[in-house]
Amino acid sequence: MPVEYRKETPSQTAGPYVHIGTVPVACGIAMRQNERLDSIDAPGPRIVIEGLVLDGSGAPVKDAMIELWQADAQGRVGEHGLWGRAVADFKDGRFFFHTVRPGTLPWRAGRMQAPHLTLTIFARGINIHLHTRVYFPEDAAAQAEDPALNRIEQVERRKTLIAERLGDGQYRHVIRLQGDRETVFFDM
Amino acid sequence: MNAKIQPGENQPGRTAWQGDFVRRDRAWHPPAYTPGYKTSVLRSPNCALISLEQGPAEKTGPRFARSMLHEFDNDLTINYARATGSGGEAIGERIIVHGRVTDEYGRPVPETLIEVWQANAGGRYRHVKDGYMAPLDPNFGGCGRVITDAEGRYFFRTIKPGAYPWPNNGSDWRPAHIHFSIFGEAFAQRLVSQLYFEGDPLIPLCPIVNTIPDKRAIDSLVARLDMGEMRPFDCLAYRLDIVLRGRQQTFFENLTEGM
């Protein structure tokens, strides 16, 4: 018999009312002040990410809660890491993060990772949260060496992790849960 | 971001390069595609997840300072009424929910944020999108949060939520449940799940519960009646222990390229 350990508590969907517990103000519960979690104040070049999650039929997911975890502008995580939380708009599904552009991060064995954001998606119908990344279109050289992108065998699929540049510091990123141009999700 | 913990604030320093977290057993967790739970059909990826070694961003995560908590954040029987100024108390079965958060090796997970949300005693959520006919309770919001202590313990007080119908099959009712979200010490441990109550006959009928393939895994989400922690003439108690992914020891530095 192999050594047995405790088993991780199993995941369940966050359900349609995830906002009550995570962003109360989004569903009309004014219990907490000063909690703009989609706007991160840190030194570095400011960026805005406009996001959208689409289901397998191409319809926007209007009840998603999205979390962000990223390095600071100098590529540091840990106590310097930046965390945020955004809610898909109940009418059109769009969400926004106002943050700073992350720096290049270290990887294992002295290698580096191209600048990226980690996003996790929680919603009704998603039994265990989905973990993905957003890279920036200007960083093609660093991305050619990036260990996560290079792990994706199908080169076409790597493009699903690159945001679209709208303007200076402004990006749009569509996350497709299923089907045509399905976004890459990771098991970390 | 005022809520974020500051370097040196009630946290032991940890570096990004401590051991990896045990891989998730995705046969223990629910799979993404579970047609009995209809919404999962269009919200589950077709492609396999890409497995990747953990880097510093996966082995660290946000920390939250105790100072961000409001006085009654972990008492759902009064926190909404205090915030709105009505000063009343919620209607329903008064309970304490408590337990311990450990990792898979049994180590306590201290100072980590747990957020909870739930319906009221009648099964109605205070949410603009919930149109169920059961009434709102003017003294109940249904959201709370708590930070575990140095031994990984947590507790909050609330009223036991009611079951409610939902449009999956025509006859589906969710068992009484409390949603919870927990951060752990690294983003790799991030977890959102649901707590159920011992003895609820709706548990085995629920398509969301049954997305979990293993009966033992389902059982680990069922809070036990805990008469040892009930308060006489006040409230009953339920206990649920939560297990997060364990951090492995670093016997050898990992130098493999892994490509």
Side-chain angles (χ1 to χ4, degrees):
Chain A
M1 281 288 287
V3 175
E4 284 195 19
Y5 296 99
R6 297 181 190 199
K7 298 295 287 185
E8 187 186 11
T9 296
S11 176
Q12 291 269 264
T13 178
Y17 308 124
V18 56
H19 321 95
I20 295 175
T22 56
V23 191
V25 70
C27 55
I29 300 177
M31 279 182 55
R32 300 168 187 163
Q33 283 84 45
N34 305 320
E35 288 203 334
R36 280 296 304 278
L37 301 173
D38 54 358
S39 184
I40 295 167
D41 184 21
R46 305 295 307 174
I47 58 169
V48 181
I49 306 280
E50 174 192 332
L52 182 65
V53 182
L54 301 179
D55 73 11
S57 76
V61 174
K62 301 173 188 171
D63 51 14
M65 189 275 284
I66 299 97
E67 286 185 347
L68 165 71
W69 176 239
Q70 65 165 91
D72 69 3
Q74 294 169 264
R76 299 176 302 180
V77 283
E79 67 204 17
H80 301 284
L82 305 174
W83 174 82
R85 185 179 262 173
V87 172
D89 184 90
F90 291 174
K91 290 195 185 71
D92 63 20
R94 289 191 304 168
F95 66 89
F96 293 88
F97 281 111
H98 300 255
T99 181
V100 299
R101 200 181 201 283
T104 303
L105 286 76
W107 183 243
R108 305 165 87 97
R111 300 174 61 203
M112 301 301 280
Q113 306 183 72
H116 66 272
L117 313 170
T118 292
L119 296 186
T120 47
I121 301 154
F122 302 84
R124 177 173 66 100
I126 296 177
N127 291 323
I128 179 163
H129 60 278
L130 294 166
H131 181 128
T132 186
R133 289 182 168 194
V134 183
Y135 291 82
F136 301 93
E138 305 88 356
D139 298 335
Q143 285 159 15
E145 307 295 322
D146 183 81
L149 290 170
N150 280 297
R151 175 58 56 82
I152 304 164
E153 185 183 343
Q154 299 83 2
V155 175
E156 257 327 279
R157 296 204 72 211
R158 297 176 190 171
K159 296 176 185 166
T160 68
L161 302 184
I162 317 286
E164 174 193 352
R165 186 174 183 276
L166 296 180
D168 213 19
Q170 303 214 316
Y171 301 91
R172 178 189 292 140
H173 188 63
V174 179
I175 295 163
R176 295 178 173 84
L177 297 181
Q178 187 188 79
D180 183 40
R181 289 177 289 160
E182 179 178 302
T183 298
V184 168
F185 299 105
F186 292 98
D187 182 13
M188 308 294 288
Chain B
M1 294 308 291
N2 304 335
K4 276 280 300 296
I5 209 157
Q6 297 305 309
E9 186 183 359
N10 71 11
Q11 274 297 318
R14 285 191 185 269
T15 70
W17 295 105
Q18 285 187 314
D20 285 4
F21 289 88
V22 178
R23 299 307 298 197
R24 265 200 167 113
D25 180 354
R26 290 184 180 264
W28 178 258
H29 287 282
Y33 176 72
T34 50
Y37 175 25
K38 292 183 178 178
T39 313
S40 77
V41 171
L42 282 176
R43 293 186 175 191
S44 47
N46 292 333
C47 296
L49 301 180
I50 303 290
S51 282
L52 192 65
E53 299 88 332
Q54 294 154 16
E58 290 72 44
K59 297 202 277 186
T60 64
R63 300 295 182 85
F64 299 91
R66 207 168 274 285
S67 56
M68 84 171 183
L69 297 181
H70 300 121
E71 190 179 358
F72 300 111
D73 266 0
N74 72 336
D75 191 344
L76 283 72
T77 67
I78 57 172
N79 64 7
Y80 183 75
R82 296 294 171 107
T84 60
S86 85
E89 295 202 21
I91 290 172
E93 183 178 335
R94 293 162 59 78
I95 58 172
I96 289 169
V97 177
H98 77 108
R100 202 152 175 255
V101 184
T102 62
D103 73 9
E104 290 166 293
Y105 301 115
R107 301 183 190 108
V109 180
E111 306 294 338
T112 193
L113 179 66
I114 303 177
E115 296 162 295
V116 298
W117 63 101
Q118 63 167 91
N120 68 23
R124 173 76 183 270
Y125 284 93
R126 186 172 288 281
H127 192 288
V128 291
K129 287 189 170 180
D130 188 358
Y132 182 35
M133 64 182 76
L136 286 170
D137 178 340
N139 294 315
F140 188 72
C143 74
R145 53 188 179 177
V146 58
I147 289 178
T148 59
D149 71 8
E151 276 82 51
R153 291 176 301 216
Y154 74 91
F155 63 93
F156 57 93
R157 183 160 58 185
T158 187
I159 54 99
K160 193 173 175 185
Y164 61 86
W166 58 298
N168 189 58
N169 295 304
S171 57
D172 284 324
W173 284 73
R174 296 300 327 278
H177 63 275
I178 298 176
H179 296 267
F180 64 92
S181 155
I182 180 163
F183 281 85
E185 62 182 28
F187 223 53
Q189 290 179 315
R190 188 82 180 82
L191 181 73
V192 170
S193 191
Q194 303 182 29
L195 170 157
Y196 303 101
F197 292 91
E198 181 175 12
D200 187 338
L202 290 169
I203 294 172
L205 305 181
C206 176
I208 289 178
V209 171
N210 288 326
T211 61
I212 300 173
D214 191 314
K215 290 266 187 294
R216 294 169 302 162
I218 292 172
D219 200 48
S220 72
L221 290 177
V222 178
R224 307 291 152 171
L225 180 67
D226 184 356
M227 294 304 285
E229 291 296 339
M230 66 88 183
R231 299 291 181 261
F233 313 105
D234 181 357
C235 56
L236 278 171
Y238 283 87
R239 175 165 182 152
L240 186 80
D241 292 335
I242 297 168
V243 180
L244 302 180
R245 295 168 71 180
R247 193 192 281 270
Q248 298 173 321
Q249 300 180 67
T250 47
F251 294 126
F252 297 98
E253 192 178 353
N254 189 341
L255 291 172
T256 56
E257 294 277 311
M259 299 298 291

